[in-house]
Amino acid sequence: MTATHSARMQEKTPIESFDVVVIGAGPAGSVSSALLRQNGYKVLVLEKEYFPRFSIGESLLPQCMEYLEQANMLDAVKKGTFQYKNGAAFSRGDEYEYFDFREKFSPGWGTTFQVQRDCFDKILADESQKQGVQIRFGHALVACEEIPNARLLTALDEDNQQYQVSAKFVLDASGFGRVLPKMLKLEKDSSLAPRKSIFTHIEDNIVCPQYDRDKILITVHPKLPEVWYWLIPFSNGRCSLGVVAPTEVIDEIGTEPLACLQQLVSEGGRLANILEHAVYDTQVRSLGSYSCDVTSLYGKRYALLGNAGEFLDPIFSSGVTIAMTSASLAAAAVHKELSGQSPDWESEYADALKVGVKTFKEFVEGWYDQRFQQVVFSKQKSEGITKMISSILAGYAWDKENPYVKTPSRLSTLSEICKSA
């Protein structure tokens, strides 16, 4: 947009002023906007879609509960009749192991929920609105300019008409939309290998008495250890089902998404038996090369939250936890900045957030190179170490008292011990 065009728009329409504009009304956007509103700020959220809308990332981690409490949203979530969750189960061939999040090293919540994100995200957005946050659904950001003491944002409304607002600070919680990284050329390739995911919701019709609906089930392909499946049960007899594989594995199957997913599930050993009566009644979606990164998590009067910054991998369901952690950290730093306290964004936000991201990343890499799979399926587990690992899987990847958070590379040593045992 040229300066002349910008000036003309300003002449035609008065520019609204906000303390903070948040891009996206998902978990990171709703939590951060509510936290900022609690401190009295005038907050606007621009959300290009209309809620409820489909989204993946349905298996929350217990660490999320703390942020929902902070944002005064937990009571509303508890009323949502979501599926109770107390751990994660792992299956490979005839092997079956699980981690109970109530038996962990770190203090805090040991249970949470598995949620259908269309309903969950709407509850969070509704709660932020009840607290005084203004959300404009169907509005998309198209430009973000730096002006003296603020950011000038140009948006499109529901009728595709442009208007402008100014903000003292902008938070990008646009998820995979990655609005500011694309607009400000902040994107860079992830260090993680490219993979592809195919997923859907099903009527599960599970009758297997050994199946535990209180846990997410992660299944490893019996012959291809880099291929794994998630099965996330909901409270209404439905499940989220997905498979993650190297891109070439899915491309080699060469069929349309539903047939590809069903073929891979049929090869899943125990999973195939669990889902023998499943009804595939929902569109199968796919997402490729989803891992992403940025050159910086913040800049002058803006910061990136959750997936808008860095997304790792669906394994361990870390996405929403990282998003909510970033929302809490960023809201605190924005509050300091708008109060004239000059926060150190590198140490108080970027470095603080990267503690957990680095921990999860080590475990993601360890999953695909089999170091962590060696730990998961070990038959000789130390109770103390199991609790430390359980804490990380429960989302407490920022607890520096945990040796595997303080030094994530300890996973390699643990894997060797398990292998030799």
Side-chain angles (χ1 to χ4, degrees), residues 118-189:
D118 54 354
C119 178
F120 177 75
D121 288 10
K122 187 176 187 307
I123 287 174
L124 301 194
D126 288 348
E127 289 302 304
S128 67
Q129 287 179 303
K130 290 176 183 177
Q131 295 180 38
V133 173
Q134 182 181 160
I135 301 181
R136 296 179 183 174
F137 292 100
H139 289 226
L141 183 73
V142 295
C144 179
E145 306 172 46
E146 185 181 336
I147 60 175
N149 303 316
R151 285 260 168 190
L152 181 64
L153 309 180
T154 303
L156 289 177
D157 66 16
E158 298 168 288
D159 298 319
N160 213 35
Q161 298 298 308
Q162 285 192 352
Y163 67 93
Q164 292 184 311
V165 299
S166 68
K168 298 174 184 175
F169 208 93
V170 179
L171 293 176
D172 186 351
S174 60
F176 287 117
R178 297 171 64 76
V179 172
L180 287 188
K182 292 175 181 177
M183 198 173 287
L184 303 180
K185 303 187 186 307
L186 302 172
E187 292 188 295
K188 73 173 185 179
D189 292 336

Side-chain angles (χ1 to χ4, degrees), residues 273-318:
N273 295 330
I274 291 174
L275 295 179
E276 61 179 332
H277 302 298
V279 176
Y280 291 75
D281 58 1
T282 304
Q283 176 189 355
V284 177
R285 304 165 189 256
S286 64
L287 188 62
S289 300
Y290 47 74
S291 298
C292 49
D293 203 351
V294 289
T295 56
S296 178
L297 288 170
Y298 66 94
K300 191 168 183 180
R301 296 188 179 275
Y302 74 83
L304 312 178
L305 309 184
N307 296 350
E310 181 173 7
F311 180 74
L312 299 175
D313 193 90
I315 190 70
F316 313 133
S317 306
S318 63

Side-chain angles (χ1 to χ4, degrees), residues 40-60:
Y41 296 109
K42 185 181 180 183
V43 184
L44 170 67
V45 177
L46 299 175
E47 170 54 58
K48 70 175 183 177
E49 297 189 48
Y50 295 90
F51 284 18
R53 55 88 177 95
F54 180 88
S55 182
I56 56 171
E58 301 109 332
S59 195
L60 303 184

